[in-house]
Amino acid sequence: MDETATDAAVDAPADGATPGGPAADPVVVGEGIRKSYGGVDALDGVDLDVAAGEVFGLIGPNGAGKTTLVRALTGTTEAEGDLRVFGAPPRDVDPARIGLLPQSFDPPARLTARELVDYYGGLYDAARDTESVLEDVGMADDADAWYETLSGGQKRRTCVATAVVNDPDLLFLDEPTTGIDPAGRRAIHRLIERLAAGGTTVFLTSHAMDEVERLTDRVALLRDGRVIAVGAPDRLVSEHGGAPRLDATLADPTTDATVEAVASGVRERLGGEPTVEATDDGLRVRGVRPEDIGDAVAALDAAGVAFDSLSWSEPSLEDVYLRLTGEEYARRGDGGLPDEGVGRGRRAADGATPDGGDR
């Protein structure tokens, strides 16, 4: 891992003065949030704020503390520190103003998708029309199927519907598109965009970096229970994403001699200090601008390197994630953390099972 990059990210200020950054009176505020399970600190002094109408993303490795942070902010688990939602402690907020989709949510299986949305809508004095909500999540055609017969993606879309049926002012979505096919993901993305355009504040956690990059105004990266970087996705990519790269899939195994020969040729043709490294299936040349691709290919040819395919790409939020967390992540401690035994928010349906998943 690049410790210099990590240190710089820790010191980077939030985007409070930039468009899309937090307003003077944030909807969500957390200062010094801490939560421990035994000897493991799930949250270790987290600070954050989320503005009204903002789509705020939270990313990080499994075990980083994302789900625990969502639970703390929604009042489904106790945590130390100053936590305020709409200016009040999370448990004092009117539940009708909050929508929550936990990472794990198992509603009664012998109800149809329509009946489930009707049920959760009935918990509130004013709720959205069930049919329009089912349409929003792409479940209108399967509304009368029992939940237990639905595919994993259809179940997840139904769960999203139960989280938005009360038309919340603040919506927490913990991995909303897990297991959903591309068409279903697009439907959920469009729904999030419409909600945000209408003034709903959205707090989104996801392992899909393309999803976070597309949807969020700002994103915080959580590692070992601490926020190590926060900002607009394009700013984080610019500061920590690294250089554009050219990936070559080679016909023969990559050797140290191959890497050195290509590196020498690339430096000769491009100047500067482009980096050449071995990958699982070939080579990666970092620092190749679009206009330099031809020279990089010439360096491969001059080194006698045969390749099956080439691909060029600019850095993305995934590169930021990998650079600041490391490509391999070891969980802290010798074991996992216990599930907390909470269902879907503060109004779990009868038969709902504990909300497990990422800490």
Side-chain angles (χ1 to χ4, degrees):
M1 188 199 314
D2 189 333
E3 294 296 338
T4 302
T6 302
D7 292 342
V10 172
D11 294 335
D15 288 349
T18 62
D25 297 313
V27 168
V28 176
V29 175
E31 296 178 358
I33 305 174
R34 297 181 181 276
K35 176 69 177 180
S36 297
Y37 297 89
V40 179
D41 294 327
L43 299 175
D44 189 13
V46 170
D47 297 331
L48 57 83
D49 51 67
V50 182
E54 184 176 24
V55 180
F56 187 88
L58 183 68
I59 61 176
N62 291 329
K66 300 185 299 297
T67 293
T68 297
L69 181 57
V70 170
R71 290 172 174 173
L73 293 172
T74 54
T76 56
T77 192
E78 294 283 356
E80 300 176 8
D82 184 11
L83 292 78
R84 283 167 283 150
V85 176
F86 299 116
R91 291 191 175 182
D92 292 345
V93 177
D94 179 1
R97 301 191 69 184
I98 306 293
L100 170 61
L101 176 68
Q103 187 181 82
S104 297
F105 173 38
D106 293 312
R110 295 302 295 269
L111 295 179
T112 67
R114 177 179 285 106
E115 288 169 340
L116 282 169
V117 177
D118 279 339
Y119 172 79
Y120 283 104
L123 297 175
Y124 305 98
D125 294 333
R128 291 184 55 196
D129 175 66
T130 293
E131 301 307 318
S132 68
V133 175
L134 290 167
E135 184 71 33
D136 280 344
V137 299
M139 283 298 296
D141 293 340
D142 300 288
D144 294 316
W146 284 349
Y147 183 83
E148 66 181 359
T149 68
L150 298 176
S151 69
Q154 290 172 325
K155 288 179 178 179
R156 197 60 177 162
R157 280 185 272 166
T158 301
C159 293
V160 172
T162 69
V164 302
V165 68
N166 57 315
D167 194 19
D169 297 320
L170 172 60
L171 176 62
F172 289 89
L173 297 173
D174 197 355
E175 300 286 351
T177 59
T178 298
I180 297 180
D181 62 25
R185 289 183 77 227
R186 284 196 296 269
I188 300 303
H189 291 173
R190 287 193 296 267
L191 173 60
I192 292 172
E193 290 167 342
R194 288 198 301 272
L195 289 171
T200 301
T201 304
V202 180
F203 192 105
L204 169 71
T205 76
S206 178
H207 284 295
M209 295 300 107
D210 61 328
E211 179 171 87
V212 175
E213 196 163 6
R214 168 183 170 174
L215 294 174
T216 62
D217 299 301
R218 287 188 305 142
V219 58
L221 198 159
L222 197 67
R223 189 192 70 189
D224 290 340
R226 300 177 182 177
V227 173
I228 63 169
V230 61
D234 57 354
R235 194 196 99 185
L236 294 180
V237 170
S238 175
E239 293 180 356
H240 307 295
R245 61 179 182 253
L246 181 70
D247 286 299
T249 302
L250 304 188
D252 300 315
T254 305
T255 65
D256 291 342
T258 302
V259 172
E260 181 53 38
V262 173
S264 177
V266 168
R267 285 193 292 268
E268 178 182 341
R269 287 169 171 78
L270 301 185
E273 292 295 331
T275 301
V276 180
E277 59 193 42
T279 63
D280 289 340
D281 54 7
L283 289 172
R284 174 170 296 162
V285 186
R286 296 186 183 273
V288 178
R289 299 184 300 272
E291 61 269 25
D292 296 332
I293 293 175
D295 288 328
V297 172
L300 291 170
D301 290 337
V305 175
F307 56 87
D308 294 329
S309 64
L310 292 174
S311 64
W312 180 87
S313 60
E314 292 183 292
S316 66
L317 191 61
E318 181 172 329
D319 296 296
V320 175
Y321 176 96
L322 293 175
R323 187 178 184 193
L324 297 185
T325 65
E327 293 196 31
E328 294 183 357
Y329 181 80
R331 278 184 77 130
R332 293 158 292 163
D334 295 328
L337 295 180
D339 290 344
E340 295 190 46
V342 294
R344 179 190 177 277
R346 285 161 284 169
R347 286 182 165 174
D350 293 338
T353 60
D355 173 19
D358 184 21
R359 189 161 72 237

